[in-house]
Amino acid sequence: MRASLGYIKAILLIALVAFLFGFAEKRQKSRKISEVAVKFTDTENLYVTEEAVNKLLIQNKVPSSGIGKETLDLNRVEGLLNKHEMIENAEVYVTLDGKLEANVSQRKPIGRVVGNSSFYLDRNGELMPLSQYYSARVPLLMGFDGGNVKEVYPLLEYIRKDEFLTQHITGITRVKPGRFNLQMRKMDFTVYMGDAENIELKFNNFKAFYKKALKDDKLGAYRKVNLQFGNQVVCTKK
């Protein structure tokens, strides 16, 4: 008899816990969204602002408050944000206190096409429009358009990851299909890169040349530095 009474108490306790859990979950889902908070993973150089993101949500009828958690479609909200031309990735969730939070990663430009049309090439090799909020300090790309700009992506990606090259290279000109000139900051010579093959070898050779010419105070003696041969640097004097 005592054993049966113990089983009954255990069953009642389990039922009570399940009831309380279900009640709490239902109450949590029925709580209203109190506000929307947008957080950028990179707070420097905002190509899209929190106001612009909120405006996008409002235009697509995503309420900033007063909607139940149960009726909010988080996948739809994420989809809206990920379609924005300046956003690379967005993760949306609801906090325990009823706040809708969006963690937003912006797209990162690595080069800017100038000419008849102007736009960025981003770090994923995709075309990216200019931003009305911020202008990125990236190499200027001359002689390119939407149809051929991806030719220069491997070169830009290498430059982006190298502190020395990022500091000194200000522009890239397409002299013919797959062949490029580099414009250097505060240097009175053009660097002919040739194609985008053997990039590491060519730039290592250039760094060695630059270090030696700087030491000998001869950087101003050249009008062209040719890297196309890969295993050597050929310089043309003024």
Side-chain angles (χ1 to χ4, degrees):
M1 186 67 179
R2 289 183 179 178
S4 299
L5 184 60
Y7 287 133
I8 293 173
K9 287 182 178 180
I11 293 172
L12 289 175
L13 181 60
I14 292 172
L16 178 61
V17 171
F19 170 78
L20 292 175
F21 179 80
F23 177 78
E25 183 179 23
K26 183 177 180 180
R27 185 176 180 182
Q28 179 70 9
K29 287 182 177 180
S30 65
R31 291 185 64 180
K32 302 296 183 179
I33 298 299
S34 58
E35 62 176 297
V36 176
V38 179
K39 297 180 179 179
F40 293 95
T41 57
D42 181 3
T43 56
E44 300 177 6
N45 310 334
L46 291 180
Y47 303 103
V48 58
T49 64
E50 181 177 349
E51 291 76 15
V53 173
N54 283 328
K55 183 178 179 180
L56 172 67
L57 296 177
I58 292 172
Q59 288 175 340
N60 286 274
K61 299 181 180 179
V62 178
S64 59
S65 62
I67 183 174
K69 292 182 181 181
E70 194 171 19
T71 60
L72 180 64
D73 188 344
L74 294 180
N75 289 331
R76 175 174 174 266
V77 178
E78 282 189 355
L80 289 172
L81 295 179
N82 285 322
K83 287 180 181 179
H84 192 283
E85 57 192 8
M86 295 296 175
I87 293 176
E88 184 174 288
N89 184 62
E91 295 182 355
V92 180
Y93 57 93
V94 178
T95 63
L96 292 176
D97 58 353
K99 182 186 297 183
L100 176 66
E101 292 195 354
N103 289 337
V104 175
S105 299
Q106 300 180 102
R107 297 174 68 184
K108 303 293 190 300
I110 59 175
R112 176 174 176 171
V113 173
V114 294
N116 294 331
S117 59
S118 190
F119 54 89
Y120 293 122
L121 190 69
D122 75 7
R123 64 179 175 180
N124 295 316
E126 300 298 330
L127 276 59
M128 171 182 172
L130 302 184
S131 169
Q132 61 177 309
Y133 304 107
Y134 182 80
S135 181
R137 296 185 63 183
V138 292
L140 300 179
L141 309 177
M142 284 73 72
F144 295 92
D145 56 35
N148 60 35
V149 70
K150 292 188 178 182
E151 292 178 2
V152 78
Y153 173 71
L155 191 55
L156 283 171
E157 183 67 0
Y158 191 92
I159 292 171
R160 178 179 74 89
K161 296 177 180 179
D162 187 287
E163 184 178 355
F164 173 87
L165 299 176
T166 299
Q167 180 182 354
H168 287 91
I169 296 177
T170 60
I172 302 175
T173 301
R174 184 179 188 259
V175 293
K176 59 176 65 175
R179 300 290 188 275
F180 314 107
N181 275 339
L182 310 179
Q183 283 69 51
M184 313 298 295
R185 188 185 310 278
K186 297 181 180 180
M187 297 184 198
D188 193 26
F189 58 78
T190 298
V191 177
Y192 181 64
M193 183 73 181
D195 59 30
E197 301 294 329
N198 299 315
I199 296 175
E200 183 176 5
L201 175 62
K202 290 178 180 179
F203 277 133
N204 283 342
N205 289 339
F206 175 73
K207 290 177 183 178
F209 153 78
Y210 179 89
K211 184 178 181 179
K212 181 68 165 58
L214 181 63
K215 180 180 178 181
D216 296 340
D217 195 23
K218 291 185 177 180
L219 283 174
Y222 306 106
R223 64 180 176 85
K224 184 176 181 179
V225 176
N226 193 332
L227 306 179
Q228 69 172 321
F229 302 108
N231 60 349
Q232 61 181 322
V233 177
V234 178
C235 301
T236 304
K237 292 186 175 181
K238 293 180 179 177

